[in-house]
Amino acid sequence: MRHLVKTIGVFSLAALVASGFYSAGCSRPVPHEERVSLPGSVKILPTDTVSELISKAARLVPSERQLAWQALEFQAFVHFGMNTFTDREWGQGTEDPKLFNPTDFDAGQWVEAVKAAGIRGLIVTTKHHDGFCLWPSRFTEHSVKSSPWRDGKGDVVGEVAAACRKGGLKFGVYLSPWDRHEPSYGDSPRYNDHFKNQLRELLTNYGEISEVWFDGACAEGSNGKRQVYDWGGYYALIRELQPGAVISIIGPDARWIGNEAGVTRESEWSVIPVVEAEALKDALKPFGFDGLPDEKSPGGIAGLDAQAADLGSFERIAAVARQSGRLLWYPGQVDVSIRPGWFYHAAEDDKVKTLAQLLDIYYTSVGGNAQLLLNIPPDKRGRIHENDTQKLKDLGDRLRATFAVNLAEGAKTEMVFDLTAVDGIDRRGRATGYMKRGVDVFSCALGEARSFNVAMLMEDIRQGQHVEAFAFDVWDGAGSVTDHNLLGQTGWREIATGTTIGWKKLLRFPTVTAEWVRVRILKSRNDSTIFRPKTFGLYLDPER
Ligand code: FUL
């Protein structure tokens, strides 16, 4: 058995955890070229070799705002507005503002309800497609100020922002570009000014805004109003007024995962290639694009088909490079409702998702390199219904019970490099193709036999997203794991395999009891970077 002990780095997770996630605790040396990271985006060209493409993909890293957003992991989406009172999903824009009249509005109750689930941020629909504004905008009468609620003096956005701040939640705004009420809609420059005025109000009057969510939906048919949106102008305004805000969906910072069902791809990449010639010019200005065709339909940015099965494989990167394109750090967000509809409907009170469904969504999204945006719609009182609050609490209780104790904390870990399992590297250690190096094996000695049924792996995405395939094994063999059997086949039982890891991968499996575990990184775009403090965990879900 030929292997190199790459980083003997036997370290105690417990000691390193104390120094914080982002401290450089691991002793693994970072090769020089890895330090040259590429924030945001990089061009890929037909002349790029395989190694050049891999190197570019591996060195792309998130912006600070994307990193902070990714760390939130789990946010609440709150659809509330005219549709709550008309029992619809999409309003016409002709609704009488007097219909908006919550009887017991309580933003603090929303915040407490979502915090019970472990949620860390909240995004409210400040204006849905019907154009009714939940804040007293100076630029329209179609808002809370024309409603009987609080004698027209109420401000839902203000109260929610304050409640979030008080409760320690990040606060974001959904603002529908499509507006079925506003008369200037379709008169492009006038509506763009109107929209920017509304954005300016939201971005200056409510403290820190962590996210601006632009919906791509628009049902204007061939006879409908055709609005040419000034995306570049909207983005510039947001960057000026709230530089920390992530612009999602029709925006450059976070992409729609491609469904509203809470499902992620098996391989969810944050490094995404887009074809230059198909790009939506304005949407890509923040990435440094210029001189590209205008007026592509915004189904996401950059002509990206957000629903495509494969967004980030090496094959797709190579295919896009052949047409000239750009790699973006463009992480996914999963939006899904706790009920069938986005807005509250009394008829759906008994259709709130079950705990098992919510857990599946959590594990596949948060545990699948995506951020989860779970919609919880308040009812006509202006409160989150008891059926939903109960489910949120059940979810939070279960997650807390599972993740309270990391059984790998304090474990002795070791990182070795297996030359016998090399793919794409010759015997002298020279890279021959795709892989630069061999197979990394990370082992963890728990000190005693422990039972667990959940494993957590994280890459340090400040250095990029690299892992393409991995396997997770437990030691079933006789005796102890030593340098001699660490890389062997005998005695090890493969529990799970996976493809991408990214920010976080959560594995669920029937409870196993073991004293040693190992992770084999089978394919990686560069050195894998999961071996940092707090990035590996073993947990026991007590009810699984
Ligand atoms: C869609 C909208 O049309 C739905 O009403 C909802 O707001 C959902 C989150 O996005 O595009």
Side-chain angles (χ1 to χ4, degrees):
M1 178 69 46
R2 249 163 52 90
H3 71 265
L4 299 178
V5 176
K6 201 174 186 189
T7 298
I8 300 289
V10 176
F11 62 89
S12 147
L13 276 175
L16 292 168
V17 161
S19 63
F21 175 31
Y22 291 124
S23 64
C26 182
S27 56
R28 181 173 219 232
V30 178
H32 176 68
E33 62 175 327
E34 281 184 69
R35 295 197 196 114
V36 188
S37 60
L38 301 165
S41 82
V42 62
K43 279 191 180 192
I44 43 175
L45 305 165
T47 48
D48 284 343
T49 63
V50 169
S51 309
E52 281 165 343
L53 288 177
I54 289 295
S55 167
K56 285 179 179 180
R59 284 153 61 209
L60 209 60
V61 296
S63 64
E64 285 301 318
R65 74 172 73 80
Q66 286 173 317
L67 194 59
W69 173 90
Q70 193 86 61
L72 287 177
E73 295 192 340
F74 189 9
Q75 296 205 81
F77 213 2
V78 179
H79 276 66
F80 185 60
M82 187 55 78
N83 296 331
T84 312
F85 297 88
T86 55
D87 212 11
R88 300 182 65 123
E89 280 291 304
W90 278 10
Q92 305 281 5
T94 50
E95 294 81 10
D96 186 344
K98 293 196 169 43
L99 294 171
F100 183 87
N101 197 11
T103 51
D104 190 18
F105 177 82
D106 186 354
Q109 188 256 356
W110 301 8
V111 168
E112 290 314 309
V114 306
K115 277 173 67 179
I119 283 170
R120 299 184 183 131
L122 184 153
I123 299 174
V124 67
T125 52
T126 62
K127 175 182 88 167
H128 204 250
H129 310 324
D130 55 69
F132 183 79
C133 297
L134 292 186
W135 80 103
S137 172
R138 282 201 297 122
F139 301 97
T140 180
E141 294 306 304
H142 201 56
S143 84
V144 282
K145 73 184 175 197
S146 305
S147 82
W149 179 62
R150 307 228 159 120
D151 295 325
K153 304 222 165 21
D155 182 347
V156 171
V157 177
E159 290 196 34
V160 177
C164 285
R165 226 177 340 270
K166 188 168 167 218
L169 291 185
K170 292 287 179 194
F171 174 66
V173 292
Y174 164 112
L175 186 67
S176 171
W178 182 33
D179 188 325
R180 303 180 97 174
H181 177 83
E182 170 54 34
S184 66
Y185 186 85
D187 179 349
S188 296
R190 270 182 62 219
Y191 180 74
N192 283 329
D193 284 348
H194 173 81
F195 194 75
K196 281 183 242 179
N197 284 334
Q198 294 201 318
L199 263 179
R200 189 176 282 280
E201 287 183 322
L202 291 170
L203 300 177
T204 49
N205 295 335
Y206 299 102
E208 185 190 306
I209 303 292
S210 67
E211 184 162 345
V212 180
W213 210 95
F214 285 142
D215 197 328
C218 178
E220 297 291 341
S222 51
N223 300 325
K225 295 175 176 175
R226 197 171 160 281
Q227 171 69 34
V228 179
Y229 297 107
D230 178 15
W231 297 110
Y234 308 162
Y235 302 156
L237 189 66
I238 297 166
R239 292 288 195 250
E240 177 201 328
L241 299 174
Q242 294 278 349
V246 158
I247 311 171
S248 343
I249 313 308
I250 313 298
D253 300 322
R255 68 183 158 83
W256 184 50
I257 211 85
N259 62 78
E260 294 174 340
V263 181
T264 48
R265 293 166 183 79
E266 192 195 343
S267 300
E268 204 58 77
W269 286 99
S270 298
V271 176
I272 305 290
V274 293
V275 180
E276 199 148 324
E278 291 172 2
L280 172 70
K281 175 181 159 189
D282 280 345
L284 287 170
K285 275 184 182 157
F287 291 118
F289 271 82
D290 53 16
L292 300 171
D294 253 327
E295 300 201 13
K296 287 281 172 185
S297 77
I301 65 164
L304 182 73
D305 175 4
Q307 295 182 284
D310 172 17
L311 288 182
S313 70
F314 175 73
E315 289 69 29
R316 213 184 99 73
I317 292 174
V320 169
R322 283 195 287 276
Q323 302 171 66
S324 286
R326 202 166 265 259
L327 282 171
L328 315 177
W329 186 274
Y330 200 25
Q333 185 186 56
V334 171
D335 62 329
V336 60
S337 187
I338 198 166
R339 290 162 171 251
W342 291 102
F343 284 90
Y344 176 83
H345 309 289
E348 294 179 352
D349 280 350
D350 60 352
K351 296 195 173 63
V352 178
K353 286 193 169 53
T354 62
L355 175 60
Q357 287 174 310
L358 292 173
L359 283 167
D360 283 347
I361 289 170
Y362 180 89
Y363 275 94
T364 55
S365 56
V366 174
N369 192 36
Q371 194 202 64
L372 173 56
L373 183 62
L374 179 66
N375 181 65
I376 307 116
D379 59 19
K380 291 184 185 190
R381 294 171 301 171
R383 297 175 67 88
I384 293 176
H385 190 273
E386 291 66 21
N387 292 3
D388 307 58
T389 55
Q390 186 58 51
K391 286 289 161 29
L392 292 169
K393 184 173 178 310
D394 292 347
L395 176 63
D397 286 348
R398 182 74 168 268
L399 294 176
R400 280 183 288 274
T402 303
F403 291 103
V405 179
N406 181 355
L407 298 164
E409 213 170 289
K412 291 252 180 350
T413 62
E414 190 174 5
M415 177 79 187
V416 296
F417 175 58
D418 184 3
L419 268 182
T420 59
V422 160
D423 166 13
I425 193 167
D426 71 13
R427 284 284 170 193
R428 289 193 185 132
R430 290 179 308 212
T432 56
Y434 188 85
M435 288 268 298
K436 289 182 157 180
R437 299 177 180 81
V439 173
D440 288 334
V441 178
F442 169 74
S443 75
C444 191
L446 301 175
E448 61 184 23
R450 289 181 174 168
S451 299
F452 46 88
N453 48 25
V454 174
M456 177 194 77
L457 308 178
M458 294 172 80
E459 290 187 75
D460 180 357
I461 60 170
R462 291 172 311 150
Q463 296 187 54
Q465 184 183 359
H466 300 163
V467 177
E468 291 201 4
F470 69 90
F472 175 68
D473 305 334
V474 299
W475 176 252
D476 260 357
S480 304
V481 172
T482 66
D483 220 25
H484 296 295
N485 50 21
L486 178 58
L487 300 178
Q489 306 279 323
T490 322
W492 290 101
R493 179 154 58 102
E494 189 176 270
I495 295 294
T497 57
T499 59
T500 50
I501 294 176
W503 169 258
K504 185 176 274 190
K505 182 75 188 179
L506 293 173
L507 304 167
R508 287 192 291 179
F509 40 83
T511 305
V512 289
T513 302
E515 189 173 341
W516 288 271
V517 302
R518 70 178 183 182
V519 180
R520 286 174 287 135
I521 302 299
L522 304 172
K523 196 170 185 193
S524 178
R525 291 179 180 176
N526 205 335
D527 275 1
S528 47
T529 53
I530 65 166
F531 312 112
R532 296 286 185 277
K534 261 194 177 174
T535 59
F536 179 73
L538 296 173
Y539 306 94
L540 182 66
D541 176 345
E543 290 179 53
R544 197 169 154 75

